[in-house]
Amino acid sequence: MAKKIVLAGGTGFIGNYFRDKFVQLGYQVIMIARKAPAIPWNKHQAIVDAVEGSEMVINLAGKSVNCRYHEQNKQEILHSRTGTTKLLGDAVKACEKPPALWINASTATIYRHAEDRPMTEADGEIGKGFSVDVATKWEKSFFQYKLTNTRQVALRIAIVLGANGGVMTPYKNLVKFGLGGVQGNGKQMFSFIHVEDLFQIVLFMRDHPELEGIFNCSAPHPVKNEHLMRVLRHRLNRSFGLPAPAPLLELGALFLRTETELILKSRWVLPERLLQAGYAFRYPTIEATIQDVV
């Protein structure tokens, strides 16, 4: 029989990529999500049966943060992360043969706005505000489980770049329509990771049983927003791009029903623990990443 992996919340851009890669490696991939044919979240015993005897559980569940932060959306963003984590934790605890590894997504947005220095797992400063509050409660809901037979890894994931989804689509459209200048003052740091590196990090965690706890999942060479946009313009053969100052972004975010934090927050995150453990990034720079993705 093929080895079994449970992929929770795996119907988005990252989940689809992971599913296809695991299938290529010969795994049986069982999905848990809100919609069929995946196992629905309200079927506790079916989730237990799926998790039972699996090699690994990977939880990517969570409502997209690409929306306006009104009260209903705030509650859904929080509960879709903490609630699903609890459902998985309860299922793992109910197993006679629990998985060896449980990987739970988290977010690099947990750190404060940083233009002065990078944030590592050891010395990163936790920020303030709604997004940070969600991230801290998400990790707390994960680490409240003290599992003797299951390793737990929380991945603080930076902005994920890939060819078939994620933030690359809107960024490419901005450049194509002449709006590929800096956003805000352009000095905010952009921490990113290629989706292939994110997948390889999951395999790295699988193959290194000594690793557990929190890991920053971000390429080792973050760049300023102005550098990111310059690389994108070059790759898409656009010599010029109009800038988007913060007030204009606020107005645009209102019409697009999103939040400017996604663009204006300075995320300066380094993958210190991964590098110390010996992980070698396939796409360590924004140039290599954009060349592959675009």
Side-chain angles (χ1 to χ4, degrees):
M1 281 181 62
K3 291 182 180 177
K4 181 170 66 169
I5 279 181
V6 176
L7 195 55
T11 56
F13 152 60
I14 300 171
N16 286 330
Y17 189 91
F18 276 28
R19 183 193 62 217
D20 291 346
K21 295 288 283 191
F22 276 122
V23 168
Q24 288 171 22
L25 291 177
Y27 280 94
Q28 176 194 7
V29 180
I30 299 178
M31 310 284 284
I32 304 172
R34 287 175 298 166
K35 298 177 182 177
I39 298 170
W41 284 105
N42 61 354
K43 301 291 186 183
H44 171 72
Q45 190 55 50
I47 293 174
V48 173
D49 293 342
V51 172
E52 183 75 53
S54 63
E55 179 178 312
M56 187 180 353
V57 173
I58 304 167
N59 183 21
L60 303 171
K63 173 181 169 64
S64 171
V65 294
N66 187 14
C67 61
R68 295 299 287 179
Y69 292 167
H70 57 63
E71 203 53 45
Q72 182 181 343
N73 279 343
K74 281 183 174 182
Q75 289 301 316
E76 289 181 11
I77 287 170
L78 177 62
H79 182 70
S80 65
R81 285 161 174 76
T82 58
T84 54
T85 298
K86 183 179 187 304
L87 290 171
L88 281 177
D90 291 345
V92 171
K93 281 181 67 177
C95 287
E96 291 182 17
K97 188 181 178 185
L101 176 60
W102 175 14
I103 293 178
N104 221 58
S106 180
T107 172
T109 299
I110 198 168
Y111 299 112
R112 67 167 171 82
H113 179 98
E115 294 184 28
D116 56 334
R117 69 172 182 86
M119 303 284 132
T120 69
E121 298 92 343
D123 66 6
E125 297 175 46
I126 305 302
K128 295 178 181 177
F130 167 68
S131 296
V132 172
D133 188 47
V134 169
T136 53
K137 288 178 178 175
W138 196 6
E139 290 186 3
K140 184 178 179 182
S141 69
F142 178 54
F143 287 114
Q144 73 177 347
Y145 291 95
K146 309 299 181 188
L147 304 169
T148 54
N149 297 311
T150 301
R151 242 183 334 130
Q152 290 171 259
V153 173
L155 302 181
R156 288 178 175 170
I157 303 171
I159 293 172
V160 182
L161 303 181
N164 298 312
V167 303
M168 275 327 301
T169 301
Y171 270 113
K172 284 191 290 187
N173 287 338
L174 283 173
V175 173
K176 286 177 181 176
F177 292 112
L179 302 172
V182 299
Q183 282 107 29
N185 64 13
K187 305 301 181 187
Q188 69 273 28
M189 296 298 291
F190 181 78
S191 288
F192 64 93
I193 188 166
H194 192 298
V195 67
E196 176 63 19
D197 268 314
L198 186 58
F199 178 73
Q200 292 297 331
I201 287 166
V202 168
L203 299 185
F204 189 78
M205 293 298 160
R206 176 199 66 182
D207 297 339
H208 287 77
E210 75 280 6
L211 300 178
E212 60 183 352
I214 291 166
F215 289 82
N216 288 344
C217 282
S218 179
H221 302 291
V223 296
K224 290 181 180 179
N225 172 268
E226 59 189 3
H227 185 94
L228 164 71
M229 300 313 296
R230 186 162 60 246
V231 172
L232 269 172
R233 290 196 304 271
H234 175 74
R235 187 68 188 163
L236 292 167
N237 299 311
R238 297 292 192 276
S239 59
F240 175 75
L242 287 171
L248 186 63
L249 286 173
E250 292 286 355
L251 186 63
L254 197 62
F255 280 103
L256 295 172
R257 291 185 235 179
T258 187
E259 295 286 339
T260 57
E261 178 193 47
L262 301 174
I263 294 173
L264 295 180
K265 181 170 180 175
S266 186
R267 298 170 177 84
W268 194 350
V269 181
L270 294 182
E272 186 175 70
R273 288 197 69 198
L274 279 170
L275 294 174
Q276 288 173 346
Y279 179 75
F281 280 82
R282 272 67 170 171
Y283 300 93
T285 65
I286 194 65
E287 287 81 5
T289 302
I290 294 300
Q291 182 176 347
D292 182 74
V293 164
V294 176

